Amino acid sequence: CIYPSFVETVGLAVDGTPMRITSVGGGFPAAQTFLEVKALEVAMAVENGADEIDIVLNVGRMLTGEYDEAANEVEVIRSELDEDVVLKVIIESGALKTPELIRRASLLSMFAGADFVKTSTGKIDVAAVVMCQAIRDYYEKTGRKVGFKAAGGVRTPEDAALYYTIVEEILGREWLTTDLFRIGASSAANNLLSAIEGKPVKYY
């Protein structure tokens, strides 16, 4: 997962391998730049070889009640991407704080074209439940499956198991694939591998 300016360089290094390239874009991490700049940045990242794009929902607009404007930004960025490019929208649940606003941000992102909604930092255990419920409700209304990604604060095997269980209980086992459920936590990878192997593993 890299900045747009490095996509081409990484693409040359991983060419011929199954590794996919994710690029953060849209004025990451604060999303505080012109919409035209955001759209151009993600378009250039994809042109250079990015398979997936991560953007941050405009938290400022969400906090000031400008919901249509926040959703419009996601729609515009989605329009710059081919259908096979995965768009993950980080809703910054820690900044939104309330379950009502987290749910609204999740639904707005999905209706605007997000393939994944992602927690980022903050109280992600509460956010995970709310977001998965929003994904379920969206799926029941539209028939389109949107993925969930937990990121920030996931460090232990127990943390990972918690989010696995939340997804399984709310969305069902069909969501437990890399196409629909991910954990963004490189710090947890070694701990998970160590738990599986029964000995210390420092792969990452």
Side-chain angles (χ1 to χ4, degrees):
C1 184
I2 52 175
Y3 282 103
S5 57
F6 300 122
V7 169
E8 188 173 13
T9 302
V10 171
L12 293 172
V14 303
D15 189 36
T17 74
M19 186 173 293
R20 295 171 63 82
I21 300 173
T22 298
S23 182
V24 292
F28 183 90
Q32 296 303 305
T33 188
F34 302 104
L35 179 55
E36 294 83 357
V37 173
K38 296 179 183 182
L40 180 60
E41 187 177 51
V42 299
M44 292 177 70
V46 171
E47 184 178 342
N48 285 340
D51 302 294
E52 303 187 2
I53 296 291
D54 285 19
I55 64 169
V56 177
L57 186 66
N58 193 318
V59 176
R61 291 195 181 279
M62 289 301 300
L63 293 175
T64 54
E66 299 173 277
Y67 306 132
D68 289 343
E69 291 83 350
N72 178 64
E73 289 193 13
V74 178
E75 286 181 347
V76 170
I77 291 171
R78 175 77 259 183
S79 71
E80 294 292 334
L81 309 177
D82 294 335
E83 286 188 6
D84 61 338
V85 176
V86 174
L87 176 63
K88 298 196 290 293
V89 177
I90 303 164
I91 68 162
E92 284 293 14
S93 56
L96 299 181
K97 297 181 180 178
T98 69
E100 294 78 16
L101 204 50
I102 291 169
R103 175 181 171 81
R104 184 185 292 269
S106 301
L107 287 168
L108 284 174
S109 297
M110 289 186 280
F111 277 109
D115 298 301
F116 270 79
V117 284
K118 184 175 173 181
T119 57
S120 194
T121 55
K123 299 177 181 178
I124 58 177
D125 50 349
V126 174
V129 171
V130 174
M131 292 171 70
C132 286
Q133 289 172 339
I135 290 169
R136 179 197 60 202
D137 295 346
Y138 175 81
Y139 173 66
E140 290 175 353
K141 187 176 183 67
T142 68
R144 187 172 78 93
K145 292 180 178 178
V146 173
F148 169 74
K149 183 171 182 178
V154 187
R155 296 182 178 83
T156 68
E158 291 76 16
D159 291 334
L162 170 64
Y163 298 107
Y164 182 98
T165 303
I166 289 170
V167 170
E168 183 178 31
E169 288 296 315
I170 297 174
L171 296 170
R173 295 193 63 82
E174 60 191 298
W175 250 264
L176 299 177
T177 71
T178 54
D179 290 331
L180 293 170
F181 173 48
R182 301 182 190 175
I183 296 174
S186 53
S187 61
N190 287 336
N191 294 330
L192 283 167
L193 289 169
S194 297
I196 292 168
E197 295 291 332
K199 60 184 180 182
V201 175
K202 296 192 180 298
Y203 186 83
Y204 296 98

